[in-house]
């Protein structure tokens, strides 16, 4: 606290990221990083870009990166926005699109940064409960739907697949929402879509009320570089560019632009790592179910699981004592017994399971 702070800073409740331990040799399955390294072509691009040119500012438009993304998804360059991590892209779009006269809607159990941006930008919001099976029911969100609970909204945002549950939504449900909720913007946060979800980017040309965000942190293994993107129709991208150019002209540095471009060009590496993570996810889900866990169906690079006989908090602490870190959310109550476990390598899964077994046997 300081008397020099602007008033609103006293009310901010910042996001708390998962632990980034200083100790080496921990089995780190807590922040959904990719266990396989970045594309070798991305690393080579960083090496090539780190030289005398670093004295020069980067391309403020990150044109090379936008071109690679546009080619990958078959959209136009001016339908792509990039930022310093998708968290920054989200921050800009909350400021630019969600400060409305009606509340923003998002699920009660979802990415906890959404609430934080609402606090930062003083955006009114309502949370919409997940169904009992932890899936999102988009009919609850439809504006103008007389049976819908939220006839007026200032925007809608949800991750697909949702975090931290991992459950995906069918594209048809999203399209139905877009068709019926035309007066406010719908943002689909696709941080995990590459691991088994269906991207809504295919719908962008038909729906001016749709914006899709993605990140290179998870499926492209570049969390350390901070690169995120949004795809939408031009007026939405123009709005984001206005915010960005009123905040920081150069959110992506030269190394990030070079590596991000190469990462999108190297499809083979991307697909190989993604397939290994999906296979690892199914194997780990089976191993956890065999030990009595309830595991939600996941289309992401993590599992959300609880054991009927064990408290989530105790399992997380017991694993931590053995050098295995997973994510545990004490609130809300409904998910307090779940562990969110990032998909790692086979060796990491073996370490997890051997740390888990003694904890499960002392019931
Ligand atoms: C990881 C994550 C992000 C942020 O990704 P960065 O690009 O690393 O900032 C955004 N949304 C969700 C749902 C995430 O899980």
């Amino acid at each position: 606290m300081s008397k020099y702070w602007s008033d609103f800073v006293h009310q901010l409740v910042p996001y708390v990221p998962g632990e980034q331990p200083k100790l080496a040799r921990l089995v780190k399955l807590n922040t959904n990083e990719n266990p396989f390294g970045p594309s070798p072509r991305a690393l080579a691009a960083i090496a090539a870009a780190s030289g005398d040119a670093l004295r020069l500012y980067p391309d403020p438009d990150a044109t090379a990166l936008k071109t690679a993304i546009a080619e990958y998804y078959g959209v136009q360059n001016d339908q792509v926005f990039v930022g310093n991590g998708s968290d920054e892209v989200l921050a800009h779009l909350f400021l630019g699109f969600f400060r409305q006269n009606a509340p923003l809607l998002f699920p009660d159990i979802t990415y906890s940064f959404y609430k934080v941006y609402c606090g930062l930008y003083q955006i009114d919001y309502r949370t919409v409960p997940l169904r009992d099976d932890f899936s999102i029911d988009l009919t609850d969100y439809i504006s103008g739907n007389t049976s819908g609970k939220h006839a007026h909204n200032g925007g809608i945002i949800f991750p697909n697949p949702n975090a931290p549950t991992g459950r995906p939504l069918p594209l048809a449900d999203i399209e139905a929402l877009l068709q019926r909720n035309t007066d406010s913007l719908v943002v689909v946060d696709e941080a995990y879509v590459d691991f088994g979800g269906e991207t809504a980017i295919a719908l962008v040309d038909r729906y001016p009320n749709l914006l899709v965000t993605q990140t290179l942190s998870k499926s492209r293994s570049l969390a350390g570089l901070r690169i995120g993107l949004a795809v939408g129709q031009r007026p939405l991208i123009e709005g984001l560019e206005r915010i960005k150019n009123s905040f920081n002209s150069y959110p992506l540095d030269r190394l990030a632009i070079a590596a991000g471009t190469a990462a999108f060009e190297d499809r083979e590496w991307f697909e190989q790592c993604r397939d290994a993570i999906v296979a690892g996810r199914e194997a780990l889900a089976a191993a956890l179910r065999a030990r009595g866990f309830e595991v939600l169906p996941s289309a992401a690079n993590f599992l959300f699981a609880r054991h009927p006989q064990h408290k989530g908090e105790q399992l997380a602490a017991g694993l931590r004592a053995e050098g295995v870190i997973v994510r545990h959310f004490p609130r809300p109550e409904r998910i307090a017994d779940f562990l969110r476990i990032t998909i790692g390598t086979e060796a990491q899964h073996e370490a997890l399971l051997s740390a888990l077994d003694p904890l499960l046997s002392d019931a």
Side-chain angles (χ1 to χ4, degrees):
M1 293 253 275
S2 161
K3 67 170 181 174
Y4 303 112
W5 289 5
S6 301
D7 273 348
F8 81 98
V9 180
H10 296 276
Q11 267 73 59
L12 289 184
V13 184
Y15 177 74
V16 184
E19 180 186 2
Q20 292 296 342
K22 304 290 179 289
L23 299 166
R25 284 201 288 132
L26 282 178
V27 176
K28 191 175 179 308
L29 302 175
N30 67 331
T31 54
N32 299 341
E33 288 137 328
N34 195 315
F36 307 110
S39 150
R41 285 172 61 181
L43 297 178
I46 291 174
S50 49
D52 182 62
L54 287 181
R55 69 192 177 77
L56 301 171
Y57 283 106
D59 172 8
D61 295 318
T63 310
L65 176 58
K66 284 182 183 171
T67 303
I69 295 166
E71 274 175 16
Y72 186 87
Y73 283 115
V75 297
Q76 302 299 310
N77 271 33
D78 58 10
Q79 294 179 308
V80 180
F81 178 80
V82 293
N84 192 255
S86 64
D87 285 341
E88 187 187 77
V89 177
L90 290 168
H92 288 342
L93 73 86
F94 271 67
L95 177 60
F97 304 134
F98 289 157
R99 279 174 73 161
Q100 303 289 350
N101 294 322
L104 172 68
L105 304 179
F106 50 82
D108 62 338
I109 295 167
T110 194
Y111 189 38
S112 52
F113 226 135
Y114 300 156
K115 257 182 207 170
V116 176
Y117 295 130
C118 288
L120 177 61
Y121 295 126
Q122 290 154 16
I123 293 165
D124 183 23
Y125 69 89
R126 302 272 182 282
T127 58
V128 182
L130 299 183
R131 294 185 184 114
D132 288 344
D133 65 358
F134 297 95
S135 62
I136 294 174
D137 184 350
L138 284 181
T139 61
D140 287 346
Y141 293 71
I142 292 169
S143 77
N145 176 9
T146 45
S147 67
K149 298 174 189 90
H150 299 278
H152 298 288
N153 68 69
I156 296 169
I157 184 167
F158 53 87
N160 185 34
N162 194 15
T165 65
R167 295 200 74 130
L169 274 167
L171 209 51
D173 290 12
I174 295 175
E175 186 160 15
L177 176 69
L178 292 167
Q179 284 168 350
R180 296 170 70 185
N181 187 87
T182 49
D183 289 337
S184 73
L185 182 67
V186 176
V187 175
V188 186
D189 177 348
E190 295 188 347
Y192 302 103
V193 78
D194 289 325
F195 301 106
E198 296 172 272
T199 179
I201 289 179
L203 302 177
V204 152
D205 277 334
R206 279 184 286 139
Y207 296 97
N209 52 334
L210 169 66
L211 189 69
V212 178
T213 64
Q214 292 191 357
T215 174
L216 279 74
S217 298
K218 281 114 185 192
S219 60
R220 286 189 170 75
S221 200
L222 289 171
L225 276 189
R226 315 300 302 123
I227 310 170
L229 63 103
V231 180
Q233 290 191 12
R234 254 175 57 199
L236 296 175
I237 302 305
E238 273 173 33
L240 287 172
E241 297 289 355
R242 273 193 189 214
I243 303 270
K244 171 248 175 194
N245 289 321
S246 307
F247 178 79
N248 179 0
S249 308
Y250 309 105
L252 290 186
D253 59 59
R254 285 177 173 272
L255 306 184
I257 293 169
T261 305
F264 264 98
E265 288 167 355
D266 192 351
R267 286 176 189 241
E268 199 183 333
W269 179 264
F270 164 74
E271 286 168 8
Q272 214 175 297
C273 297
R274 177 202 58 200
D275 292 350
I277 289 168
V278 170
R281 177 182 73 210
E282 297 314 311
L284 183 60
L288 291 172
R289 288 192 183 109
R291 286 163 171 80
F293 277 89
E294 174 197 354
V295 185
L296 297 190
S298 170
N301 68 336
F302 57 84
L303 293 171
F304 204 50
R306 68 178 159 192
H307 198 287
Q309 275 102 46
H310 296 270
K311 290 268 155 229
E313 189 179 0
Q314 280 162 18
L315 289 179
L319 288 173
R320 183 75 178 71
E322 294 301 313
V324 178
I325 37 181
V326 299
R327 195 92 194 260
H328 169 251
F329 301 91
R331 273 179 311 273
E333 192 80 15
R334 238 175 117 192
I335 60 166
D337 282 330
F338 278 87
L339 302 176
R340 193 197 66 189
I341 306 168
T342 302
I343 302 309
T345 60
E346 256 178 71
Q348 289 177 314
H349 292 175
E350 276 167 30
L352 165 75
L353 294 170
S354 29
L356 201 51
D357 283 334
L359 301 172
L360 297 178
S361 60
D362 43 63

